[in-house]
Amino acid sequence: MATFFEHKRPRQFEYKPRFYDPKKEQLEQLKAKYGENNGETYNRRINFRKAMEEQKKDKIGAPISMSKILLFACIIVCLVYVLCEIVLKWA
């Protein structure tokens, strides 16, 4: 009767989550390539590069201002007008 009321415990396992961090991997590759450098300039250089890349991405994704669009439109209209006048004079 003792085995009839005995509850089996669920099997336990060790779960170690693994996350992929490309920035950390790149940092480790740079450290392996150039050696371990505990100086502040090494970390500052890497942070500067990351900041410049992020700034470049933000600048590319920024919308064009309305004044630039109007300026380009005026230039194109003027060029089309001048080309039409030249073609009409030749004809």
Side-chain angles (χ1 to χ4, degrees), residues 72-88:
F72 291 139
C74 289
I75 291 172
I76 290 172
V77 167
C78 290
L79 287 174
V80 168
Y81 177 75
V82 169
L83 288 174
C84 288
E85 288 295 322
I86 292 173
V87 168
L88 290 175

Side-chain angles (χ1 to χ4, degrees), residues 1-80:
M1 266 213 169
T3 58
F4 183 71
F5 292 106
E6 187 176 314
H7 296 286
K8 292 184 178 180
R9 293 186 178 181
R11 285 190 268 166
Q12 295 181 355
F13 59 94
E14 292 182 28
Y15 174 69
K16 296 179 183 178
R18 290 184 252 171
F19 297 98
Y20 176 69
D21 188 8
K23 291 180 183 179
K24 184 176 180 182
E25 184 175 334
Q26 182 183 15
L27 179 64
E28 290 175 1
Q29 288 175 353
L30 289 173
K31 284 182 181 179
K33 183 177 181 182
Y34 296 112
E36 191 69 32
N37 188 355
N38 294 331
E40 184 64 29
T41 58
Y42 181 74
N43 292 332
R44 195 175 340 151
R45 187 179 308 138
I46 291 173
N47 291 336
F48 179 75
R49 285 183 184 170
K50 281 192 264 184
M52 291 299 290
E53 287 175 2
E54 289 174 3
Q55 186 180 19
K56 188 176 182 181
K57 288 178 185 176
D58 291 342
K59 196 172 190 179
I60 289 172
I64 300 173
S65 67
M66 190 58 119
S67 61
K68 286 183 181 180
I69 293 173
L70 290 175
L71 178 67
F72 291 139
C74 289
I75 291 172
I76 290 172
V77 167
C78 290
L79 287 174
V80 168

